Amino acid sequence: TLMAMCWFQKSEWLALKEIDPESMDESYEEWLKNANRAISDLRADGAQVKKIAVRVDELQAWCKENRTKPDSPTRSKFAIYKLQQRLALSRR
């Protein structure tokens, strides 16, 4: 199974925390630890996980276009969208 996971640099994570404080971990370091653990668990279950670098401005534009908020389920959909774009480009 191919899976996509949003991946944030520290500055992008801090910007995301400002717009979605409820669903974000308390610190970037905590998020990083939890994200890496989730990837390890998924890979142990046989999944192929792709880290998708996300810029908050790009996420916000996509959310506006799709009339949604940048919460956790939406970020997952955005990661899938970005992975699909990447795969489509690689097939050209």
Side-chain angles (χ1 to χ4, degrees):
T1 306
L2 181 59
M3 302 186 78
M5 178 176 275
C6 287
W7 202 256
F8 301 99
Q9 295 301 313
K10 189 171 188 171
S11 60
E12 294 294 332
W13 184 88
L14 290 169
L16 182 60
K17 175 99 171 144
E18 288 180 17
I19 62 173
D20 185 24
E22 296 84 30
S23 72
M24 299 303 294
D25 291 308
E26 287 303 310
S27 68
Y28 176 77
E29 291 74 21
E30 184 180 339
W31 170 81
L32 189 61
K33 182 181 79 173
N34 290 333
N36 281 319
R37 183 178 12 210
I39 289 172
S40 294
D41 291 347
L42 290 166
R43 288 180 175 158
D45 288 340
Q48 182 183 3
V49 181
K50 297 287 184 186
K51 294 178 184 177
I52 306 298
V54 173
R55 289 190 348 260
V56 173
D57 60 341
E58 185 180 26
L59 173 63
Q60 286 182 296
W62 188 83
C63 288
K64 184 176 181 180
E65 183 179 310
N66 289 279
R67 295 184 175 101
T68 188
K69 57 185 177 178
D71 58 12
S72 183
T74 298
R75 291 192 299 271
S76 295
K77 290 175 188 170
F78 183 68
I80 293 166
Y81 166 76
K82 295 280 290 179
L83 179 59
Q84 288 171 336
Q85 279 189 318
R86 185 184 298 175
L87 293 173
L89 286 173
S90 69
R91 290 187 191 119
R92 290 184 181 174

